[in-house]
Amino acid sequence: MSSLRILRFASLEQLEALAPQWTALYERCPATTPFQAPAWLLGWWRAFAPGELRVFAAYERRRLVALAPFYLDARRLLPLGVGLSDFIDVLVDPA
């Protein structure tokens, strides 16, 4: 059994640097929608940035295997894209 390493990202710059790995994870997940793509969610964040980023990434060895894109708005944890996106969910590598 391998262990997971969980990292938290709290800035747009960190998310932009994560975009290539995020895109690879997005492409490995068979039931994704455009509203889970990094291009959509990074654009949404650039346009609205309604709180403090709280994006959690799970790595198995050096491979991104899960991503939970949220932000903190006052005392609520909300998913990136809320309000404009039709489908919001975390990404989890099916393997």
Side-chain angles (χ1 to χ4, degrees):
M1 183 167 94
S2 64
S3 62
L4 291 179
R5 183 172 48 110
I6 308 296
L7 298 178
R8 185 184 79 158
F9 296 91
S11 74
L12 177 58
E13 294 77 19
Q14 290 175 318
L15 285 187
E16 288 171 336
L18 182 64
Q21 293 177 24
W22 184 353
T23 299
L25 173 61
Y26 172 81
E27 291 172 350
R28 290 194 307 271
C29 297
T32 57
T33 71
F35 301 109
Q36 294 165 283
W40 173 263
L41 292 176
L42 289 171
W44 183 91
W45 186 258
R46 284 185 202 103
F48 300 106
E52 298 175 32
L53 279 172
R54 295 290 188 269
V55 177
F56 300 93
Y59 287 86
E60 187 172 53
R61 295 188 182 99
R62 295 178 184 236
R63 183 176 181 170
L64 180 66
V65 294
L67 187 80
F70 292 97
Y71 70 94
L72 187 61
D73 175 32
R75 295 189 316 203
R76 299 179 302 165
L77 191 62
L78 299 169
L80 264 63
V82 69
L84 291 178
S85 302
D86 288 340
F87 183 82
I88 303 170
D89 202 357
V90 300
L91 293 175
V92 178
D93 189 322

